[in-house]
Amino acid sequence: QIKKILQNSLYYRFVLQYSYHIYIAGVIDDTIFKSWELYCELEKNLGFLCSLYTKEPFYKGDRKSDDIETFWRYCCKDSALTYEINEALDKMLPPLSREHYEFNIQLLSVLLYM
């Protein structure tokens, strides 16, 4: 029942579900799909989306840090900025694009099952 916003949800849900038998329910938004609806020709990785839709300085290099607190901060930023990007994209999505986006989101569970 907990709603989730993910970046690249189809990939992560596939890996978690079929490799580790962890089922992720309640995915309501995916920033890759939402950004594709607006600008299909642009990159979709989280670092690029952060540079467009947030004021957060580049932090993706912290992923390989040996300092555990830096790594935890990196993980928290990923989560918080995914939410922030989703909010920004939400405001920009035209009605027809939103309809197409929501259709695609509804299909993700079906595609994952197939």
Side-chain angles (χ1 to χ4, degrees):
Q1 295 180 355
I2 298 171
K3 297 176 183 176
K4 297 166 192 74
I5 298 167
L6 302 177
Q7 163 78 7
N8 199 7
S9 70
L10 192 60
Y11 170 77
Y12 288 108
R13 289 171 62 193
F14 173 79
V15 169
L16 291 171
Q17 189 168 335
Y18 289 100
S19 298
Y20 302 103
H21 306 289
I22 299 171
Y23 177 73
I24 306 295
V27 176
I28 59 164
D29 276 318
D30 185 316
T31 53
I32 280 186
F33 279 91
K34 198 173 273 189
S35 63
W36 180 81
E37 286 293 336
L38 286 171
Y39 304 108
C40 61
E41 68 279 4
L42 296 180
E43 289 186 48
K44 308 296 181 287
N45 67 66
L46 193 56
F48 183 75
L49 294 178
C50 282
S51 72
L52 288 180
Y53 303 112
T54 74
K55 293 181 180 181
E56 184 67 30
F58 182 77
Y59 70 97
K60 296 303 273 182
D62 293 346
R63 185 182 78 132
K64 296 184 179 184
S65 175
D66 292 332
D67 178 42
I68 194 67
E69 287 190 26
T70 301
F71 180 72
W72 289 340
R73 206 170 10 264
Y74 161 82
C75 292
C76 290
K77 284 181 184 180
D78 264 3
S79 297
L81 293 172
T82 297
Y83 181 84
E84 188 176 333
I85 291 165
N86 188 62
E87 292 292 303
L89 291 171
D90 228 20
K91 294 173 185 171
M92 300 170 67
L93 213 57
L96 272 174
S97 295
R98 177 170 303 287
E99 188 177 322
H100 186 253
Y101 165 75
E102 289 173 359
F103 174 74
N104 283 332
I105 290 297
Q106 290 174 358
L107 286 180
L108 288 182
S109 293
V110 175
L111 291 171
L112 186 59
Y113 179 77
M114 291 190 312

